[in-house]
Amino acid sequence: MPVTLVGRARERAELAAAWAALTSGSAGPQVAVLTGEPGAGKSALVAAVVGALDPAPVTLLAGQARIHSPAPYDWLAAVLSGRDTRGLPAPAPALAWLAQHDAAPVERFAPGALLRVAARVVRALAGAGPAVLVVEDLHALDPASLNLVGELAAAPGLPALLLVTSRPSADPLVARTLARLTGTAGAVRQHLGPLQPADVAAVLAQVYPGREITAEAARTVWNRTGGNAYRLTELIATWPADDLPALLEADSDTEPPAELTAREVEVLVCLRDGMANKQIARALGISVRTVTVHVSNLLRKTGTASRTEAALWAVRHSPAAPSLTPRSHP
């Protein structure tokens, strides 16, 4: 069953206050940066906040990187996808580049000129506002998109709240962009840590209405998931919606864990956190082909038939620690 957002009351209040400052005219463009580990609930928080904004935004522009084949201006291309681009203040060839049309002209444009056109297009889409610009997974964006996001954060008079989510990243360009965003006047900076046991209890109360959720039960589930929102949701999804005892008793599962190498453990944790092969390769510093081999071995060793089943296997067998404990070595 769908689970509504729990916890994060302080974060929601801060973001609502930023919106109020923008819509009241007491402040200019507002910037909010949300960071957290995979599965911390960044996207869920953004969705809940945007859905509750009062007044509702006149315009919502949202985009993110293309996981498998990132290209310049991925964020804006996602925003423009499916939109009527007629009348936008951009030359047709430049707009074709920004929208990543297959029929884009062969000639390229000077980076600075294209950046100015991109910012002008976003401003035109935002109109008189108030608007919300959502940038998901900043850490995975291409350099051109990072430059654009930085420009938008500093754009004078832009009637928008810029909501940015990102994983912590050691990439210098991503780090500089995050610093640029959080350095703007009045910027909101939030890092989402794990949910608390009381938050886990609130989720269990939604999934098992009418059942008593004891502190011990909440702590058991919290220990198994480390308070990670994604792992919590996946764990609950593996058990019948009317069988809370089975969920709790599963913690004492006596099935022996698969014998995994240290590298397979790392790949499995990435699968558990919803990462695609290319993301795993980038995170672990290995090739996509090598990731594919490890995933195949994991399916065989865990007795699962798909990446999703392997991720659920990881949720069932992993403790609160950020990685599973390998039984053997490469």
Side-chain angles (χ1 to χ4, degrees):
M1 63 172 292
V3 176
T4 59
L5 184 72
V6 300
R8 314 302 189 195
R10 177 185 60 80
E11 291 85 354
R12 296 181 71 168
E14 284 184 343
L15 297 174
W19 181 249
L22 173 72
T23 56
S24 68
S26 62
Q30 298 293 291
V31 177
V33 177
L34 287 66
T35 58
E37 298 299 331
K42 302 180 292 294
S43 296
L45 175 58
V46 167
V49 167
V50 171
L53 290 177
D54 186 19
V58 173
T59 304
L60 174 63
L61 307 178
Q64 61 188 99
R66 294 189 303 180
I67 296 299
H68 298 292
S69 54
Y73 290 103
D74 265 353
W75 180 81
L76 184 53
V79 167
L80 294 173
S81 178
R83 289 180 180 268
D84 183 357
T85 58
R86 291 174 297 182
L88 288 176
L95 193 58
W97 263 102
L98 294 173
Q100 297 179 356
H101 289 166
D102 292 336
V106 176
E107 66 269 18
R108 295 181 178 273
F109 299 84
L114 199 56
L115 177 60
R116 289 191 293 273
V117 172
R120 194 160 62 239
V121 166
V122 174
R123 188 181 285 275
L125 291 172
V132 175
L133 314 182
V134 177
V135 180
E136 291 273 15
D137 294 335
L138 179 85
H139 59 275
L141 282 176
D142 58 278
S145 290
L146 293 176
N147 284 336
L148 175 58
V149 172
E151 289 294 313
L152 295 175
L158 182 65
L161 169 62
L162 180 61
L163 287 174
V164 178
T165 71
S166 179
R167 296 178 187 174
S169 174
D171 182 282
L173 187 54
V174 173
R176 286 198 297 270
T177 303
L178 287 173
R180 183 178 180 183
L181 296 176
T182 56
T184 59
V188 175
R189 176 71 166 86
Q190 298 176 350
H191 182 77
L192 304 188
L195 296 173
Q196 298 302 308
D199 300 325
V200 173
V203 171
L204 294 176
Q206 293 182 44
V207 178
Y208 302 100
R211 300 294 298 270
E212 179 186 6
I213 308 299
T214 65
E216 180 182 4
R219 175 66 67 170
T220 295
V221 176
W222 184 87
N223 284 337
R224 295 181 63 196
T225 61
N228 182 279
Y230 173 82
R231 296 202 291 272
L232 173 62
T233 301
E234 291 300 297
L235 176 63
I236 291 174
T238 64
W239 300 102
D242 59 350
D243 198 350
L244 177 60
L247 174 66
L248 301 177
E249 291 169 5
D251 192 45
S252 58
D253 192 346
T254 57
E255 177 188 351
E259 299 233 353
L260 307 179
T261 67
R263 180 63 83 186
E264 287 168 349
V265 167
E266 293 175 331
V267 173
L268 183 59
V269 169
C270 292
L271 289 179
R272 182 192 67 186
D273 292 334
M275 297 172 67
N277 281 8
K278 192 167 185 178
Q279 292 175 303
I280 297 173
R282 186 184 306 136
L284 300 182
I286 57 180
S287 70
V288 175
R289 182 181 180 85
T290 300
V291 173
T292 302
V293 172
H294 284 311
V295 171
S296 178
N297 290 338
L298 283 170
L299 298 184
R300 174 176 54 81
K301 289 185 177 184
T302 60
T304 54
S306 68
R307 297 166 61 92
T308 300
E309 287 187 15
L312 295 178
W313 186 95
V315 170
R316 289 188 178 185
H317 292 83
S318 63
S323 64
L324 301 171
T325 302
R327 297 288 298 272
S328 58
H329 300 279

